[in-house]
Each structure stands twice: as C-alpha cells, then as structure tokens.
Amino acid sequence: KVQATFRYSCVPVRADNDTVAGAGASCSIEDVTKAMETAAPPEPALSEGQQQLDSFFVDSPAGLAIVDDQLRYVKINKPLADINGATVAQHIGRTARQIMPELAAVIEPMLRRVLDEGNEYLNIEVDGETPAQPGVARQWMVSYFPIKKRDGSITSVGIVVIETTERNQVENALR
C-alpha cells in the first residue's frame, strides 16, 4: 500500500478588473510526500506542569538560575541576569567567573561543595559588586541547593538570589 500526501489549492478565476469571472476556478495539486517525510516531527506540547514551572521561573521576582557540573549557567531568569549585569543569553554556557569575576571567589567554592558534597547553603548573605553597578557595594540573600537525578546523583545547582541592598540601607539608617 502506497500513501502520498498532496496539497490542493484553488483560487477563483478573475477578470482583468479583479472580479470573479464566472464559476470557474484555477486549481493545483502538489505532491508534498517528500517534504512531509523530511520535515522535523512536531514538538510535543508541554504538559501543564512544565508550563507552570517555566512560567514560575520566568515570572519570579527573585533571581533564579541553574548551573551545571562545570558551573556554567544553563538557565537563568531576567531578574538574576539584571542583578549580574548581563543579559540572559550572555549567561548561558558561561560561568559566574566569566560574568562577574569580582564575586567568583566567594560563590564558586559554595557551588562546588553543593556539587561535590551535596551541601545546601540557604539564606547566606553575600556582599560584593557586579558589572550591573561597578563600584557599588551591594548585598544579596542567596541559596544554593543540589538538583538531583532520580538515582540521587547531583547534576546541577539551583540558585535563588534576593537583592537586599536597599533593605539593609534602610535598616542601617534606622539604627
């Protein structure tokens, strides 16, 4: 049994003044079997849960990221990219040392311990500066935690960052 896929289209025959000329139509039939065979398969629709997770990541006011076992950003949202002073696209595939070298000595050892030992760092205060505001001392509350496969092996690190600079300035002014 041979199957083929055809594209069929018709347009009305028009006169010189662009009016439809009678009841006729010009039709064409095109064999698109080969094109359909070589076309990439349609991507499966995202599950509602995956859509919610993606939306949570994108829409979160907190800075969120995932780094791989080489400490390269594989996913980052815009709030954290803005804090770091680079675009989302500029982060992907690069390390914190490449994006913000001033903070690398502080954060990379923690990220490495999460990967190597499974340690969690929750609500750690970090001070420093980033390319977003060179020369300006800023503060963040950061959390780093392991992301594991089903077999329990750690594949990457989850990152949550909250800018606390303004809050700390207000608290210091009230003292």
Side-chain angles (χ1 to χ4, degrees), residues 9-126:
S9 60
C10 289
V11 292
V13 175
R14 296 190 177 273
D16 290 339
N17 64 0
D18 205 32
T19 60
V20 175
S26 172
C27 298
S28 66
I29 299 174
E30 177 186 6
D31 183 351
V32 293
T33 306
K34 282 263 198 255
M36 296 293 287
E37 289 171 354
T38 60
E43 298 218 5
L46 292 177
S47 69
E48 184 175 336
Q50 184 63 50
Q51 290 174 358
Q52 286 176 330
L53 186 58
D54 288 347
S55 181
F56 174 81
F57 202 90
V58 169
D59 297 334
S60 172
L64 303 174
I66 298 172
V67 296
D68 66 13
D69 61 352
Q70 301 299 307
L71 304 183
R72 296 174 301 213
Y73 289 96
V74 294
K75 190 166 179 114
I76 185 168
N77 68 354
K78 188 172 182 328
L80 186 52
D82 290 346
I83 286 170
N84 294 348
T87 66
V88 168
Q90 288 169 332
H91 279 80
I92 304 304
R94 297 176 73 199
T95 65
R97 183 171 300 282
Q98 293 169 310
I99 300 291
M100 41 187 192
E102 302 81 11
L103 284 175
V106 174
I107 65 174
E108 280 184 353
M110 288 187 279
L111 295 173
R112 181 56 50 206
R113 282 192 290 276
V114 171
L115 283 166
D116 295 343
E117 302 166 15
N119 294 357
E120 285 184 341
Y121 293 90
L122 303 177
N123 302 320
I124 304 295
E125 291 186 19
V126 173

Side-chain angles (χ1 to χ4, degrees), residues 122-141:
L122 303 177
N123 302 320
I124 304 295
E125 291 186 19
V126 173
D127 298 331
E129 62 182 74
T130 69
Q133 294 180 324
V136 176
R138 297 166 61 199
Q139 296 83 40
W140 306 272
M141 184 74 64

Side-chain angles (χ1 to χ4, degrees), residues 125 127-128 133 135-140 163-175:
E125 291 186 19
D127 298 331
Q133 294 180 324
V136 176
R138 297 166 61 199
Q139 296 83 40
W140 306 272
E163 174 94 34
T164 59
T165 304
E166 189 174 307
R167 185 191 76 195
N168 291 344
Q169 290 169 342
V170 169
E171 286 176 359
N172 289 337
L174 294 173
R175 290 185 191 156

